Amino acid sequence: MRHLLLLRGINVGGKNKVPMADLRAALEAQRLREVSTYINSGNAIFETDEGDAHVHTAVDAALATFPFPIRRVILTREEVEADAAALPEWWTQPLARRDVLFHTNEVDPAQMRARIEAMPLGDEIVHFGRHAVFWGKHTEAEYMRTAYHKYLIKEDFYPLITIRNGRTFDRLLELIG
């Protein structure tokens, strides 16, 4: 079964450095196969015939080889594809920004949804998937005044999510398929 691994807060501003070659080696050392990475922001795809318990244990053991804690999201190919298949039409329309907020298992998705729905979204548009929140922004000029920019970072759940832009999500969807 193919899996997508998304790491939070690595290789940002020279902090929490995780070379992708080291990540691949750490995952392969845990008997995960066909490990590949995409760009330097902690995106990995791998294969295994083992169940969920082994996958989570193996990934956690691989991440423990780095000298700082790393939050992660692990999804199966089917989970990623199901979220992508349920996307509304606006996701494929021209937008100034598209982002995907993947939540770790530490997040209560219902609480996260309630907090986001309470934000003044203005010209922003949001779709709640099963494993992520898909967020579109219509105009770049207003970005500094968006709920995404002004309020999201202040939320208690913010340290428990990892964000990918729309292009990265689209490419990961291609790679995991």
Side-chain angles (χ1 to χ4, degrees), residues 83-105:
D83 264 358
L87 284 170
E89 186 176 323
W90 64 257
W91 183 254
T92 60
Q93 303 303 312
L95 293 168
R97 290 182 184 241
R98 294 181 310 142
D99 289 299
V100 185
L101 291 62
F102 293 94
H103 44 83
T104 65
N105 291 338

Side-chain angles (χ1 to χ4, degrees), residues 7-167:
L7 304 183
R8 185 192 194 289
I10 65 157
N11 302 335
V12 179
K15 296 181 181 177
N16 297 334
K17 290 185 181 184
V18 176
M20 293 300 98
D22 294 353
L23 176 61
R24 286 190 301 274
L27 293 169
E28 289 167 349
Q30 297 299 317
R31 299 186 341 233
L32 302 174
R33 300 185 319 272
E34 298 181 38
V35 178
S36 63
T37 56
Y38 175 67
I39 62 177
N40 201 35
S41 59
N43 307 296
I45 296 170
F46 61 87
E47 287 272 344
T48 184
D49 296 326
E50 304 289 337
D52 281 350
H54 171 76
V55 169
H56 289 265
T57 300
V59 167
D60 289 344
L63 296 181
T65 65
F66 298 98
F68 45 84
I70 304 173
R71 288 200 162 98
R72 68 356 180 227
V73 173
I74 304 170
L75 299 171
T76 65
R77 172 179 44 202
E78 292 77 13
E79 290 169 330
V80 175
E81 289 175 344
D83 264 358
L87 284 170
E89 186 176 323
W90 64 257
W91 183 254
T92 60
Q93 303 303 312
L95 293 168
R97 290 182 184 241
R98 294 181 310 142
D99 289 299
V100 185
L101 291 62
F102 293 94
H103 44 83
T104 65
N105 291 338
E106 300 166 83
V107 173
D108 176 350
Q111 180 186 20
M112 181 178 171
R113 181 178 185 143
R115 295 295 303 148
I116 291 171
E117 287 177 336
M119 293 177 186
L121 293 177
D123 77 338
E124 299 162 272
I125 191 163
V126 176
H127 169 76
F128 296 93
R130 183 171 172 139
H131 304 283
V133 177
F134 297 82
W135 202 307
K137 286 147 303 275
H138 290 286
T139 57
E140 187 69 26
E142 296 295 314
Y143 175 67
M144 297 304 281
R145 289 188 281 260
T146 60
Y148 183 87
H149 181 75
K150 288 176 69 175
Y151 302 108
L152 184 65
I153 198 168
K154 297 174 186 171
E155 290 293 331
D156 290 342
F157 62 78
Y158 185 78
L160 307 175
I161 62 173
T162 186
I163 302 171
R164 300 299 184 272
N165 69 42
R167 283 187 305 252

